[in-house]
Amino acid sequence: MSAVTSPRTDPTDPTDPTDPTDPSCYHATLATLLRQRSPGTDPALVLGATAATDAERQNGWVAMHDVLPTLCETLTAWGHDVVRNPLAGSEGLDALFQALRDGHPAMVIVDTFHLAHYWIDHGRVHAPHAVVLREYDPAEGTVRLTDPVDIVHFDDRVRVDALVPALSDDRVDLRWLMLRDGYAGRGAGPVRRSWAGRFLDYTEMLTGREGSRLSGVELTDWLAGSMDDVLGVLPAMRRPERASGEDPERDRVAGLLRGMWTYHHTLRWFGRHLTLAPDPEADGCPSLDAVAGAVERASQDWLVTRALLVRSVILPDHERGKYRDEVLNRLGEVRAALTAAADVLRALGEEIEW
């Protein structure tokens, strides 16, 4: 059985009919649903409309929460009706396949251990991963499975009975969602928020004080200020992975690294979003392209920071110092870029009539 293929021109071009690919499975699958609903709209306009870290302080550490609820809130804010459902037991499966039978594509969180095409973790690790299911054929017992994450990109029809284990293993929090009919355009209709208001919201997400959730600068400052503690517990990642809760120290470190990976994607998509916002038509106003560039630099330095921390896991103690210095240097670059972007967005939100 060969995968469905078609010529790809530019995966960021909203007029390109092929499905987008991306390193983030959440962004890639939701972008696939949005592209199918609105072929002429860049999914980054919606999915990039947040700079939230999804992080909060907990017992002297930072807990990085799942980004999917924030993405769902963002979709709703832009006029999309998001329907989320648990995928547990026969009732959950029945509801999913009824939706597919009715012609609704769905983003589904599955278990990679049972996912045949997912060669990284198949038969090795129980972990959640998002894919798109659509075009269900009850007579043949097949469904089209699209996995648009770049490292394993897959698009083919698969047998439902072969897919059921990945949809049923309770060692992973299995869920599915679909987008019902809603507004999919920009700047009118149900999307009432002004761009000035959005820019002020983004400013708070980047540098403000968001209450229980940390802004980007607050998260960066916490990591820089806690670097010795973080480096001290990173070796826990050398230990074999165990069931959740059986090795709290390793879980805490793994959660931080996973959350850093996710926040990199949030910033990357946020930068794309800013390139789609209307530039202010006023003398002396900076271009939003410069703001987007600052956010993109922050996302790159954040990714480098994470890579340095991952690398330091396997280093002997006497070599970890030079990595520590470079991590702090990169975090300084992240802070400066986020602050510069927020300063411009704040000025635009407060001074420009939209």
Side-chain angles (χ1 to χ4, degrees):
M1 185 182 295
S2 60
V4 177
T5 59
S6 58
R8 181 177 300 278
T9 54
D10 179 359
T12 65
D13 177 3
T15 63
D16 181 0
T18 57
D19 292 326
T21 58
D22 196 80
S24 164
C25 67
Y26 283 163
H27 288 88
T29 49
L30 290 173
T32 298
L33 297 185
L34 288 171
R35 182 69 67 85
Q36 181 165 333
R37 291 169 58 81
S38 306
T41 301
D42 189 330
L45 182 69
V46 178
L47 296 178
T50 179
T53 65
D54 295 295
E56 64 179 339
R57 291 186 180 89
Q58 285 187 0
N59 301 320
W61 194 256
V62 160
M64 306 286 283
H65 298 288
D66 187 7
V67 71
L68 185 58
T70 294
L71 289 175
C72 289
E73 291 172 6
T74 304
L75 285 161
T76 300
W78 281 78
H80 295 277
D81 187 8
V82 182
V83 180
R84 289 183 283 176
N85 300 279
L87 188 58
S90 58
E91 291 184 3
L93 279 176
D94 289 345
L96 168 63
F97 281 98
Q98 183 59 55
L100 294 172
R101 187 179 290 109
D102 293 339
H104 300 294
M107 185 191 94
V108 188
I109 310 299
V110 295
D111 183 350
T112 58
F113 187 91
H114 304 287
L115 211 54
H117 77 273
Y118 199 83
W119 55 270
I120 305 170
D121 289 342
H122 179 233
R124 188 180 70 89
V125 175
H126 292 277
H129 181 63
V131 299
V132 173
L133 298 183
R134 50 188 163 172
E135 301 170 20
Y136 175 44
D137 187 336
E140 289 188 356
T142 63
V143 66
R144 180 181 175 188
L145 186 155
T146 302
D147 187 340
V149 76
D150 57 0
I151 198 169
V152 295
H153 186 269
F154 178 88
D155 190 2
D156 204 352
R157 300 198 66 80
V158 299
R159 292 202 57 80
V160 170
D161 54 6
L163 192 59
V164 166
L167 300 170
S168 307
D169 198 313
D170 61 8
R171 280 169 284 196
V172 170
D173 182 16
L174 305 173
R175 293 162 286 162
W176 65 279
L177 67 80
M178 65 178 181
L179 305 180
R180 288 196 297 210
D181 290 342
Y183 183 72
R186 59 181 294 182
V191 185
R192 305 290 186 188
R193 194 84 167 105
S194 71
W195 280 102
R198 292 192 185 103
F199 290 162
L200 292 176
D201 288 345
Y202 299 157
T203 298
E204 289 299 304
M205 294 177 191
L206 292 173
T207 62
R209 296 185 178 276
E210 293 194 274
S212 62
R213 296 298 168 100
L214 301 178
S215 66
V217 165
E218 287 177 319
L219 175 61
T220 303
D221 287 348
W222 173 85
L223 186 56
S226 304
M227 188 49 54
D228 290 335
D229 291 339
V230 171
L231 290 173
V233 297
L234 274 175
M237 292 300 293
R238 298 175 187 168
R239 300 197 285 262
E241 186 176 4
R242 301 167 66 184
S244 178
E246 293 185 4
D247 189 345
E249 187 177 60
R250 190 185 190 284
D251 290 347
R252 188 172 59 164
V253 176
L256 175 63
L257 294 175
R258 184 169 54 250
M260 291 181 69
W261 172 250
T262 300
Y263 185 51
H264 156 67
H265 294 313
T266 296
L267 289 176
R268 189 168 52 81
W269 277 75
F270 179 53
R272 281 181 57 189
H273 168 80
L274 291 174
T275 66
L276 301 172
D279 256 332
E281 298 179 359
D283 292 339
C285 246
S287 168
L288 280 168
D289 288 341
V291 186
V295 172
E296 176 63 22
R297 289 193 300 276
S299 76
Q300 292 170 355
D301 281 318
W302 188 258
L303 184 61
V304 171
T305 298
R306 181 186 182 276
L308 290 168
L309 291 177
V310 171
R311 173 68 177 172
S312 74
V313 169
I314 62 174
L315 292 176
D317 291 343
H318 69 275
E319 290 188 18
R320 206 167 286 144
K322 61 183 178 180
Y323 276 74
R324 178 186 185 279
D325 292 343
E326 183 58 20
V327 165
L328 293 176
N329 175 57
R330 293 289 180 158
L331 289 174
E333 295 292 327
V334 171
R335 193 186 202 286
L338 294 183
T339 300
D343 286 345
V344 176
L345 291 174
R346 182 182 298 107
L348 293 176
E350 293 176 347
E351 299 174 11
I352 303 300
E353 295 292 333
W354 295 83

